[in-house]
Amino acid sequence: MKVLKKVFLISILIMLLISTVSNAATEEILNYESEIYINEDATMIVEETIQVYAAGIDIKRGIYRDFPTKYKDNYGNNYNVKFEVLEVLRDGKAEPYKTEKKSNGIRVYIGDSDTTLRPGYYTYTIKYETNRQIGYFDDHDELYWNVTGNGWAFNIDEATATVHLPENADMDKVNFEAYTGAQGSTAKQYTAYKDEYNNTVTFRTTSKLYNSEGLTIVVGFEKGLVHEPTFQEKVKYFFSDNKGIFIGLIGAVIIVIYCIITWHKVGKDPKKDIIIPRYNPPDGFSPAEIKYIESMGKYDKVFEASILNLAVKGYIKIETTEKSYFGLKNHEITLIKQEKAIENDISEDEKDIYNNLPKEATLEYSSSLQGKLMNMQTAQKNYLKKKMEGKMYSKNIKMITISAIMSIVVALISLIASMSIVEVPVALFITIWLSIWTSGIAAIFKSVKKSPAIIIVLIPFLLGEVVATGILISLISISMTIIVLLLIVINIIYAILIKAYTKEGRQIKDEIEGFKLFIKTASEDEIKTQTPETFDKYFPYAYALGLENEWAKKFENLLESYNYEPTWCTGMYVGPTFNVSSFTNSFSSSFSKSISSASTPPSSSGSGFSSSGRRRRILWWRWPEEAGGGGW
């Protein structure tokens, strides 16, 4: 029996010894005390006393403490606070320390890298100054302060925080509360009290804080107790924190000045003459050339106007047939080449189109016809650009390029100055990805824009673009987004305004405007002096200028009196008598659609994206440096 008692007692002693050794070997913070002094100038002096047990596991040379100094406001703008170490002690004596910049703050390493601590208890004191920690509201001001931080790798047995308010504080108007636990927790495992004699509010936790848990306090007090920044101070702080925005604004101003100077130098049109109605377009210019000069290089309706001009001059005939598809009526248009010697009544680009057209071409999609039409259109664009640009007008591409390069440089410098080293490559990646993604969507939409179903197909890709754009805005802030958009708008406006007519181009432009004025304002008496041949001759010009319906309406009564029937087009009639207005409405719509359809593959040929329903998914991680600390 005595032997059993001895064995039992020895077992208990061994278990107690193991438990003691185990507890002693656990590195933890035994006590975390924080004294927070709020000054009348709104700065703060904080003295943290941290008692730890070091076992040589994580705490070998000392501890480190992380302090966030970089924040984001509600609009994504940078908000930086001051952090200055005033004193570092270990067991009441000065201790070596070093600081290291992190992505959103500063880490303070306490201890000597050449000295290894013996296992035991140590008390570290960190005293520092900070500012811009006070929140200002309409009816009160307050300190919202994470006392311990939530990034500690150790448990905290007990945490205490005492807030010292200025001497003139009205303690009856002081309110307070606190939160304990993980980030975002609303647990309230603490006690707190006010000391009206010392103008303090003290908080103390009532349960252990485990690693990644902390104590956050809120103390509200009357307005005017501490200094609130003036408007000028807020502006100074804002641009100090957001140098990229300042750079962007200054850069935008410089670019605007450049645009104004260069526009004044090369972008102003020659003086405009008085516009009077003209009965005909400028002599010696084809409908395509008139459109190209009038729009300064836009190709819309140019090719169709050339086909019409070839038709009214007898080189081709346009044959239309009404067909029905699933109950819907549609006009099928066929171009029939006429055997006629080429004369000087058509332009060089129109001669090229005539020579390359097949003998008979129905304007619906086929791979062979598509290739021919696209080649003809490309050749015509090149011909018109070479003939008109520089002679009739100048787009001043060199000036636009310089402005664009300046804008890109300003935007890049501004973005880099506004973001952390971690955010810059992510933002650049998303920007490049968005550019490619947007270009792809635009190209697909343009190629199949005649199909309403494409909108439904593109919805997932558009949503992806919205998400990526939202992420980019969250990275660069709303203010930087506005600056980038401002630079884009400046360049768009500049590209429009910097284009200028030459003296010759201005003269032709005025004659075109005179012809347009005649179409819009000609009286019935003026039209009576014209002939159906005039309608035919200038119909391609009116079509090129987008005034074909007005032209037809003006000539409607005249053509009806002549029992007019076009020799260059057959099949599209309304009733027993030819109705020129109905004809023109139907023809212009069907003709442009047919040309477009013949030049563009149907949407079923593929969109360029996988049809599996999958899409690229952007994963976004952010690793902010948590306030807290650990051992080293």
Side-chain angles (χ1 to χ4, degrees), residues 359-591:
K359 282 189 176 181
E360 186 172 313
T362 300
L363 295 180
E364 60 182 14
Y365 175 75
S366 69
S367 57
S368 59
L369 181 59
Q370 180 204 20
K372 290 181 180 179
L373 288 176
M374 292 184 70
N375 288 337
M376 284 187 278
Q377 291 178 43
T378 300
Q380 186 179 38
K381 287 178 186 178
N382 293 335
Y383 168 81
L384 292 172
K385 182 177 180 180
K386 184 177 179 181
K387 183 176 181 180
M388 301 299 171
E389 196 166 321
K391 182 181 179 182
M392 295 295 171
Y393 63 87
S394 175
K395 289 187 176 180
N396 292 308
I397 299 299
K398 181 180 177 180
M399 305 297 183
I400 296 173
T401 303
I402 292 173
S403 174
I405 292 174
M406 290 171 63
S407 299
I408 292 171
V409 170
V410 168
L412 285 175
I413 294 175
S414 301
L415 291 174
I416 291 172
S418 296
M419 296 182 292
S420 69
I421 194 170
V422 176
E423 294 171 327
V424 169
V426 179
L428 288 176
F429 168 77
I430 294 177
T431 302
I432 295 171
W433 181 87
L434 264 176
S435 301
I436 298 172
W437 191 262
T438 304
S439 300
I441 291 176
I444 295 168
F445 183 76
K446 183 178 180 181
S447 66
V448 288
K449 61 184 178 181
K450 302 302 178 184
S451 171
I454 190 59
I455 302 297
I456 299 174
V457 175
L458 289 177
I459 284 176
F461 305 105
L462 293 173
L463 289 176
E465 179 152 335
V466 169
V467 171
T469 302
I471 293 172
L472 186 60
I473 292 174
S474 71
L475 279 174
I476 67 176
S477 81
I478 294 176
S479 301
M480 275 305 308
T481 303
I482 292 173
I483 287 176
V484 172
L485 292 175
L486 176 63
L487 292 171
I488 293 172
V489 170
I490 288 172
N491 279 272
I492 292 174
I493 295 174
Y494 180 63
I496 294 171
L497 296 180
I498 197 65
K499 293 187 293 186
Y501 285 103
T502 62
K503 288 184 178 180
E504 183 181 357
R506 178 73 260 179
Q507 180 183 347
I508 301 301
K509 169 71 172 175
D510 290 344
E511 292 180 14
I512 295 172
E513 292 299 322
F515 180 61
K516 291 170 66 175
L517 186 62
F518 165 70
I519 294 175
K520 293 176 181 178
T521 63
S523 65
E524 188 174 345
D525 290 338
E526 289 176 302
I527 296 299
K528 284 181 180 179
T529 62
Q530 307 296 323
T531 64
E533 287 74 18
T534 304
F535 172 81
D536 281 347
K537 183 178 181 181
Y538 297 138
F539 177 63
Y541 291 90
Y543 182 90
L545 296 172
L547 297 173
E548 65 272 19
N549 292 329
E550 288 87 341
W551 183 254
K553 191 171 182 180
K554 296 287 184 184
F555 278 82
E556 190 167 19
N557 293 333
L558 175 71
L559 297 180
E560 186 176 346
S561 66
Y562 277 89
N563 292 320
Y564 168 80
E565 291 183 8
T567 59
W568 48 271
C569 179
T570 61
M572 295 183 73
Y573 296 88
V574 179
T577 306
F578 178 72
N579 186 310
V580 66
S581 295
S582 297
F583 158 74
T584 308
N585 278 322
S586 178
F587 175 78
S588 61
S589 174
S590 301
F591 190 62

Side-chain angles (χ1 to χ4, degrees), residues 149-166:
N150 291 70
W152 282 98
F154 313 122
N155 298 334
I156 302 174
D157 286 350
E158 184 179 67
T160 304
T162 301
V163 178
H164 299 258
L165 296 167

